[in-house]
């Protein structure tokens, strides 16, 4: 693993952009935005293609053998001993090395098991040939079974059985060792192929990982950022709706504009209603006056008729007061003057005036849109430039990585050329021949032992004299002797090879494979991840970390290799594992506040929108309302009520009619005329006076309502003037702040779009994208390849060789012993004497013992 020191992070902005944008590719964008500007990101990360590296180690049938070999290594060399030694060796300035070399006895004591094992192997290599030579010389001198002389004892029939069974077990063990050697040879023969496939698969997985990340980057930089860009452009293009409408709504709510407008409209309606009521009253008064004139004429005619009928005496009836006592002409004139004054005070349409002021407020959106065309265009250009820059940086970064570093075919060719330079195939071929020879040697010993044992057992007859044993049994004995001789020839060489392989592989297992295959990676953590100086960098401070010194300017950042490996093992994103937030600030890669230039937008809108020309209570409107109020105040409705309250006539027409009928005159002609006049009087009362009185009451009621309306209208005029003045003052003093506040909200919303995009990208980078399982697979597969695929068969080789040599040593003794029971002997002892005694015992006769044979030699038959 190679690390590069980054000291100028601005130079690596493309890399930051690349890592920032690590998101996923989907076919359809599911992003959405709410009315308050909150973006809901609907993108989902796609599942990465299945990785080709198979990190599962499958030792097959040799699993038990490999475990026994590693267990033997653990026994003779405990893991903590090697770990402690490695930790001591990594101390600063080599003081620990000097200390250990100064006390070699203590150092050797830490490796007692390994040293004893090696010494035993070397002693075996030395003494086995010597022992074989001595046995050979002993047999050549007629000793050690070389004289071919054997006696038959009582246990003779049991001893061969025990020896045969024991030798069979040994031969079976040796045979299994030979088979395991051949199987280990087969496994080792597959290592180059597995190495090639593992490296190629790792290359493909890393390339697939980077390509997937590249696709994720493209999606975010082009699709997600494009979605944000479209939102910003939509807001800017429809500024009258996105900014103008909120400003208008804010004015309506905060300066009580609607209330002021409603008060003016209400006042205008009240004034119109008041004027209409006064016009109606004037019309009614005019009609009443006409009726009064007609009534006065009727009273005059009535008085003339009475005078004509009764003469000057008037028949005792008093008609002096029979006149119309009230006159509404003056009241009508006063009412007309009031009405004229009010009409002259309402020459302007106050509703139109206030709506014109409101129109100025409603035109603010279009004014803002017109005044900000240039700045909106510059903002859109800046956003487009950011998009183009991200895409360009992305393409440059991905293109450089894929073309220069992640060309799978080029990498595979490099690996193949490295294989060719080392010539692994030739080396492996020679190694395969050597392992095959060792396996065949062991199998040869086992086959000779089994063949000799089979022939000897099949041809053995306990009742046959040793000198008369058959050829099959004799062949078995000779085969066993040949197996012993052959084993003496190869045992030292096999033990030497076993010792050499153990010397090479056992330390590798203890010093390298144990730390690398430890699930907790404790040794790696102690060697590389602890703060302070180490053997790899002795210039680190007490709080400095090795990896941080390679990657960051700040060496105190706790970047640990074990945390990276464990995180990648759990398929976590690479960004937090590598703590790259200390190298790149993802939030500063795209500063949307600077890009959108919202401060300039706020400044331009604030300076271009002048609210001083917006007037609600114009001087004309104020004068009109003031005059109208004064006109209302000048109206004396009480005097009108007093005028309308006067009686129309002082004469009771009903009493007058009754008096005319009861004058007491005896003249029938006069009496008839008076009755007719009485009927006329009653008709005048019913048809003229009584309706006039009703009209008089109605007009009085109208004056009552008019009095209330005038009072309410005066109050409304005052309230309207106050509301308009308050609203206008609020617009003049607070309008700019209202606009600025809404502009700030608008700018904040635009900036929030960009910030949400950055937060979304950062969240994806830190929690979703760039999951680095291929990195762990690379580490795990290569570690497994070296420590398991390669080293386990080597462990099995020396373990099988050592075990075979030990068993062969036992088998030598058994074979030598058993061969004397299978081979045809030259001399037997006390065999005939015991036969003759047995015959005498069976016949019941005593016989003298035969004379001894000369030299105890068996006579030929």
């Amino acid at each position: 693993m190679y690390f590069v020191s980054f000291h100028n992070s601005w130079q690596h902005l493309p890399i930051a952009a690349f890592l920032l944008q690590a998101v996923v590719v989907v076919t359809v964008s599911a992003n959405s935005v709410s009315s308050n500007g909150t973006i809901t990101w609907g993108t989902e990360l796609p599942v990465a293609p299945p990785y080709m590296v198979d990190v599962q180690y499958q030792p097959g049938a040799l699993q038990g053998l490999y475990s026994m070999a590693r267990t033997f290594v653990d026994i003779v060399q405990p893991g903590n001993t090697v770990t402690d030694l490695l930790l001591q060796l990594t101390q600063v300035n080599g003081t620990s090395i000097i200390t250990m070399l100064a006390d070699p006895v203590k150092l050797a004591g830490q490796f007692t098991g390994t040293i004893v094992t090696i010494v035993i192997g070397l002693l075996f290599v030395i003494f086995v040939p010597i022992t074989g030579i001595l046995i050979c010389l002993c047999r050549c001198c007629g000793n050690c079974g070389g004289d071919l002389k054997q006696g038959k004892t009582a246990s003779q029939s049991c001893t061969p059985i025990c020896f045969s069974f024991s030798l069979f077990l040994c031969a079976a063990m040796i045979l299994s060792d030979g088979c395991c050697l051949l199987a280990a040879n087969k496994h080792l023969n597959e290592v180059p192929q597995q190495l090639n496939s593992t490296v190629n698969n790792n290359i493909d997985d890393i390339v697939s990982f980077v390509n997937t990340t590249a696709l994720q980057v493209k999606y975010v930089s082009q699709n997600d950022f494009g979605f944000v860009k479209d939102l910003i452009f939509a807001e800017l293009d429809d500024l009258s709706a996105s900014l103008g409408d909120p400003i208008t709504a804010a004015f309506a709510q905060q300066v009580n504009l609607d209330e002021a407008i409603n008060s003016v409209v209400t006042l205008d309606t009240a004034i119109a209603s008041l004027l209409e009521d006064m016009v109606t009253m004037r019309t009614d008064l005019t009609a009443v006056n006409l009726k009064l004139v007609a009534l006065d004429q009727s009273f005059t005619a009535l008085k003339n008729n009475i005078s004509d009928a009764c003469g000057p005496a008037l028949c005792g009836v008093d008609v002096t007061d029979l006149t119309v006592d009230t006159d509404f002409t003056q009241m009508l004139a006063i009412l007309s003057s009031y009405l004229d004054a009010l009409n002259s005070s309402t020459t302007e349409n106050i509703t139109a005036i206030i709506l014109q002021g409101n129109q100025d407020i409603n035109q603010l959106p279009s004014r803002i849109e017109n005044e900000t065309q240039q700045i909106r265009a510059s903002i859109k250009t800046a956003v487009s430039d950011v998009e183009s820059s991200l895409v360009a940086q992305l393409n440059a970064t991905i293109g450089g990585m894929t073309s220069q570093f992640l060309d799978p075919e080029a990498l595979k060719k490099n690996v193949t050329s490295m294989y060719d330079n080392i010539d692994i195939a030739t080396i492996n071929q020679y190694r395969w021949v050597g392992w095959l020879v060792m396996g065949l040697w062991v199998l040869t010993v086992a086959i000779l032992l089994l063949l000799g044992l089979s022939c000897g057992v099949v041809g053995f007859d306990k009742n046959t004299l040793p000198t008369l044993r058959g050829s099959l049994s004799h062949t078995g004995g000779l085969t066993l002797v040949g197996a012993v001789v052959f084993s003496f020839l190869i045992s030292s060489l096999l033990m030497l090879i076993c010792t050499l392989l153990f010397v090479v592989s056992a330390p590798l297992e203890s010093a390298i494979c144990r730390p690398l295959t430890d699930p907790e990676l404790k040794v790696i953590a102690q060697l590389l991840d602890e703060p302070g100086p180490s053997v790899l960098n002795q210039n680190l401070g007490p709080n400095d970390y090795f990896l941080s010194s390679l990657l960051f300017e700040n060496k105190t950042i706790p970047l640990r290799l074990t945390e990276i490996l464990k995180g990648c093992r759990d398929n976590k994103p690479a960004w937090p594992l590598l703590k790259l937030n200390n190298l790149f600030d993802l939030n500063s890669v795209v500063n949307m506040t600077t890009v959108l230039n919202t401060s300039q937008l706020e400044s331009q809108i604030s300076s271009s929108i002048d609210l001083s020309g917006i007037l609600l209570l114009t001087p004309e409107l104020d004068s009109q309302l003031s005059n109208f109020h004064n006109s209302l105040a000048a109206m004396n409705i009480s005097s009108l009520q007093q005028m309308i309250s006067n009686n129309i006539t002082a004469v009771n027409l009903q009493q007058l009619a009754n008096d005319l009928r009861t004058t007491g005159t005896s003249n029938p002609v006069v009496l008839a005329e008076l009755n007719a006049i009485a009927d006329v009087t009653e008709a005048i009362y019913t048809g003229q006076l009584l309706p006039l009185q009703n009209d008089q009451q109605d007009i009085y009621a109208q004056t009552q309502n008019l009095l209330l309306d005038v009072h309410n209208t005066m109050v409304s005029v005052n309230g309207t003037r106050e509301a308009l003045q308050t609203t206008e003052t609020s617009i003049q003093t607070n309008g700019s702040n209202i606009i600025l506040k809404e502009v700030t909200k608008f700018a904040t919303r635009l900036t929030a779009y960009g910030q949400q995009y950055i937060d979304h990208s950062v969240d994806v980078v830190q929690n979703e994208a760039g999951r680095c399982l291929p990195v762990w697979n690379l580490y795990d597969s290569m570690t497994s390849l070296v420590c398991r695929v390669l080293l386990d068969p080597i462990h099995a080789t020396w373990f099988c060789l050592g075990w075979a040599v030990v068993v062969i040593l036992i088998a030598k003794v058994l074979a030598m012993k058993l061969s004397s029971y299978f081979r045809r002997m030259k001399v037997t002892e006390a065999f005939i004497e015991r036969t003759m005694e047995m015959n005498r015992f069976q016949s019941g006769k005593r016989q003298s013992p035969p004379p001894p044979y000369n030299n105890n030699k068996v006579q030929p038959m």
Side-chain angles (χ1 to χ4, degrees):
M1 183 176 295
Y2 296 89
F3 296 92
V4 180
S5 178
F6 297 97
H7 297 292
N8 296 318
S9 59
W10 65 270
Q11 296 177 352
H12 305 280
L13 182 60
I15 299 177
F18 172 79
L19 292 172
L20 168 67
Q21 312 305 331
V23 215
V24 116
V25 177
V26 291
T27 55
V28 179
S29 174
N31 301 332
S32 62
V33 61
S34 62
S35 58
N36 62 358
T38 301
I39 298 176
T40 300
W41 303 100
T43 54
E44 295 182 359
L45 290 174
V47 179
Y51 294 121
M52 302 178 64
V53 173
D54 184 10
V55 297
Q56 297 295 328
Y57 172 56
Q58 301 293 340
L62 297 182
Q63 172 66 48
L65 178 62
Y66 294 162
S67 299
M68 287 189 294
R70 289 196 296 269
T71 302
F72 182 81
V73 176
D74 293 338
I75 293 174
V76 300
Q77 188 59 65
N80 57 347
T81 303
V82 180
T83 302
D84 294 340
L85 178 62
L86 289 175
L87 294 177
Q88 293 176 16
L89 291 174
T90 56
Q91 293 182 5
V92 187
N93 297 327
T95 55
S96 59
I97 300 177
I98 298 174
T99 303
M100 286 187 294
L101 293 178
D103 191 0
V105 176
K106 180 179 179 181
L107 178 61
Q110 296 177 347
F111 297 91
T112 302
T114 303
I115 294 174
V116 169
T117 304
I118 296 173
V119 169
I120 292 175
L122 294 178
L123 290 177
F124 193 95
V125 171
I126 296 172
F127 286 105
V128 165
I130 297 175
T131 303
I133 294 173
L134 293 177
I135 293 176
C136 181
L137 294 176
C138 181
R139 290 181 66 86
C140 290
C141 294
N143 297 314
C144 305
D147 55 357
L148 296 179
K149 180 173 59 177
Q150 184 182 55
K152 188 172 183 181
T153 62
S155 62
Q156 184 176 0
S157 60
C158 181
T159 302
I161 296 175
C162 296
F163 285 165
S164 297
F165 181 74
S166 301
L167 184 60
F168 175 77
L169 293 179
C170 292
M173 292 182 185
I174 297 171
L175 180 64
S176 64
D177 287 338
C179 293
C180 290
L181 280 173
L182 295 179
N185 186 29
K186 180 178 179 298
H187 284 196
L188 282 173
N189 195 49
E190 296 172 353
V191 169
Q193 181 181 358
Q194 293 190 26
L195 174 63
N196 186 40
S197 62
T198 300
V199 171
N200 289 338
N201 289 339
N202 274 295
I203 292 174
D204 291 334
D205 288 349
I206 295 296
V207 172
S208 176
F209 165 70
V210 174
N211 287 337
T212 301
T213 306
L215 292 176
Q216 296 170 348
V217 171
K218 288 183 178 179
Y219 178 80
V220 162
S221 59
Q222 296 178 4
N223 292 66
D224 279 357
F225 189 83
F227 177 77
V228 172
K229 185 189 76 171
D230 292 341
L231 290 179
I232 295 175
F233 280 20
E235 297 272 6
L236 294 174
D237 291 338
D238 194 12
L239 195 64
S240 60
S242 58
L243 178 58
D245 291 348
I247 290 177
T248 304
F251 270 104
Q253 295 176 0
Q254 299 182 30
V255 301
N256 299 322
L257 181 60
D258 290 342
E259 181 180 347
I261 293 175
N262 292 334
S263 67
V264 171
V265 173
T266 302
L267 175 62
D268 196 14
T269 302
I271 291 175
S273 177
L274 176 63
L275 294 177
E276 184 180 356
D277 291 343
M278 292 181 67
V279 170
T280 301
M281 183 183 295
R282 185 175 64 176
T283 301
D284 292 343
L285 282 175
T286 301
V288 168
N289 274 337
L290 293 176
K291 291 179 180 180
L292 288 175
V293 172
L295 181 60
D296 186 61
Q297 292 176 354
S298 297
F299 282 172
T300 301
L302 183 60
K303 288 191 294 184
N304 292 332
N305 291 334
I306 293 174
S307 176
D308 291 342
C310 296
L314 298 177
C315 301
V317 179
D318 185 9
V319 294
T320 305
D321 296 330
L322 188 59
T323 59
V324 177
D325 297 334
T326 190
D327 186 4
F328 292 161
T329 303
Q330 182 180 1
M331 180 180 177
L332 183 60
I334 294 173
L335 182 61
S336 297
S337 65
Y338 289 165
L339 187 58
D340 292 340
L342 292 179
N343 286 329
S344 63
S345 301
T346 56
T347 57
E348 299 289 339
N349 189 337
I350 59 175
T351 299
I353 294 174
I354 191 63
L355 291 180
Q356 179 60 41
N358 186 44
Q359 183 65 23
D360 294 337
I361 299 295
N362 292 333
Q363 289 178 351
L364 285 177
S366 59
R367 291 177 60 188
I368 291 174
E369 188 168 4
N370 294 332
E371 295 291 339
T372 58
Q373 290 182 358
Q374 184 176 0
I375 184 63
R376 286 188 290 122
S378 65
I379 291 175
K380 293 170 68 174
T381 302
V383 174
S384 298
D385 291 343
V386 169
E387 182 183 30
S388 301
S389 176
L390 285 176
V391 173
Q393 293 173 3
L394 168 67
N395 292 334
T397 303
I398 296 177
M401 293 180 63
T402 54
S403 63
Q404 298 179 15
F405 301 103
L406 293 178
D407 183 357
E409 298 304 325
L411 292 175
K412 291 178 182 179
K413 288 181 179 179
N414 293 334
V415 173
T416 304
S417 63
M418 182 181 65
Y419 292 161
D420 295 338
N421 293 333
I422 301 176
D423 199 3
I424 294 179
T426 303
I427 296 174
N428 183 60
Q429 185 176 2
Y430 287 131
R431 183 216 53 79
W432 180 83
V433 172
W435 255 252
L436 179 62
V437 169
M438 289 188 296
L440 293 178
W441 282 353
V442 175
L443 287 178
T444 300
V445 174
I447 292 173
L448 290 175
L449 291 175
L450 291 175
L451 182 61
L453 184 61
S454 299
C455 294
V457 170
V458 172
F460 177 74
D461 185 0
K462 63 180 181 179
N463 295 321
T464 302
L465 292 174
T467 56
L468 300 178
R469 288 172 181 159
S471 299
L472 185 60
S473 175
H474 185 63
T475 301
L478 293 177
T479 305
L480 292 178
V481 173
V484 172
V485 173
F486 182 74
S487 65
F488 269 114
L489 295 177
I490 66 172
S491 293
S492 294
L493 181 58
L494 293 180
M495 181 56 75
L496 178 62
I497 296 173
C498 170
T499 304
L500 293 178
L501 291 178
F502 177 81
V503 170
V504 173
S505 63
L508 290 177
E509 176 69 29
S510 301
I512 296 179
C513 290
R514 282 178 187 167
L516 293 181
T517 57
D518 178 19
E520 299 299 325
L521 304 173
K522 295 180 181 179
V523 177
I524 297 178
Q526 293 174 339
L527 291 177
L528 297 179
D529 293 343
E530 294 295 333
S534 67
V535 70
L536 298 178
N537 190 343
Q538 299 180 3
N539 298 321
L540 295 177
N543 297 321
D544 295 343
Y545 290 83
F546 172 68
L547 289 184
S548 299
S549 67
L550 298 177
L551 189 60
F552 305 122
E553 293 182 1
N554 184 4
K555 301 177 183 179
T556 61
I557 297 173
L559 181 62
R560 297 179 173 89
L561 178 60
T562 52
E563 292 181 356
I564 296 174
L565 292 176
K566 290 179 182 179
C568 291
R569 180 177 61 191
D570 297 333
N571 201 21
K572 293 182 179 180
W575 185 275
L577 293 177
L578 295 176
K579 301 186 184 301
L580 294 179
N581 56 307
N582 295 282
L583 186 61
F584 304 111
D585 184 6
L586 294 177
N587 293 285
S588 64
V589 173
V590 180
N591 190 337
M592 295 305 296
T593 303
T594 303
V595 172
L596 297 175
N597 199 7
T598 55
S599 60
Q600 185 175 353
L601 177 67
E602 297 171 4
S603 176
Q604 182 169 353
I605 293 177
S606 300
S607 61
S608 61
I609 303 301
D610 183 13
L611 301 178
S612 61
I614 298 178
L615 298 177
L616 299 179
L617 187 61
T618 62
E620 295 79 6
L621 179 59
D622 185 48
S623 175
Q624 181 171 323
L625 293 177
S626 179
N627 294 333
F628 189 79
H629 182 273
N630 293 335
S631 298
L632 290 176
M635 292 175 60
N636 190 355
I637 306 301
S638 299
S639 63
L640 295 180
Q641 288 179 331
Q642 185 177 359
M643 292 178 184
I644 199 65
S645 299
N646 294 333
N647 292 327
I648 297 176
T649 180
V651 177
N652 186 343
L653 293 182
Q654 290 179 326
Q655 183 63 39
L656 177 60
N658 188 45
D659 290 343
L660 289 175
R661 286 189 174 92
T662 58
T663 56
T665 181
S666 58
N667 187 346
V669 176
V670 173
L671 183 60
E673 290 180 359
L674 290 177
N675 287 330
I677 293 172
D679 292 337
V680 171
T681 302
E682 289 179 349
I684 292 173
Y685 172 76
T686 304
Q688 290 184 289
L689 181 58
L690 189 60
L692 276 173
Q693 289 177 343
N694 291 334
D695 292 341
Q696 184 182 20
Q697 292 177 357
D698 291 340
I699 293 175
Y700 185 83
Q702 290 180 16
T703 59
Q704 287 288 97
N705 293 333
L706 182 61
L707 179 63
L708 180 61
D709 290 344
V710 168
H711 174 74
N712 291 337
T713 303
M714 292 176 64
V715 173
S716 179
V717 168
N718 290 332
T720 299
R721 291 181 65 191
E722 182 178 354
L724 291 177
Q725 185 63 52
T726 301
T727 301
E728 183 178 302
T729 302
S730 180
I731 291 175
Q732 299 294 335
T733 56
N734 300 326
S736 298
N737 293 331
I738 293 174
I739 293 176
L740 181 60
K741 183 178 180 180
E742 293 302 322
V743 171
T744 303
K745 288 182 180 179
F746 173 76
T748 302
R749 186 165 66 252
L750 294 185
T751 306
Y753 289 148
Q755 188 60 45
Q756 288 181 78
Y757 166 74
I758 294 174
D759 293 341
H760 164 65
S761 301
V762 171
D763 177 69
V764 171
V765 167
Q766 293 182 345
N767 300 301
E768 295 295 335
R771 297 186 178 274
C772 56
L773 180 61
V775 176
W776 168 257
N777 288 344
L778 174 63
Y779 170 84
D780 192 28
S781 62
M782 298 308 295
T783 302
S784 178
L785 181 66
V786 175
C787 294
R788 299 283 78 90
V789 178
L790 175 61
L791 206 56
D792 272 353
I794 296 177
H795 288 330
T797 299
W798 62 253
F799 187 79
C800 288
L801 289 175
W803 185 252
V805 170
V806 172
V807 176
I808 287 174
L809 181 61
I810 300 174
K812 290 175 183 178
V813 177
L814 296 175
M816 291 299 296
K817 286 289 186 180
L818 191 59
S819 66
S820 63
Y821 293 97
F822 291 161
R823 292 177 62 190
R824 186 181 299 120
M825 297 288 104
K826 293 181 180 181
V827 179
T828 184
E829 298 175 353
F831 181 77
I832 296 181
E833 180 182 355
R834 295 181 61 85
T835 302
M836 294 177 63
E837 290 180 356
M838 186 179 296
N839 292 333
R840 287 197 303 269
F841 177 77
Q842 291 177 354
S843 61
K845 298 179 180 179
R846 291 184 177 269
Q847 298 180 4
S848 60
Y853 294 103
N854 295 329
N855 297 327
N856 292 329
K857 292 184 178 180
V858 179
Q859 299 298 321
M861 297 178 63

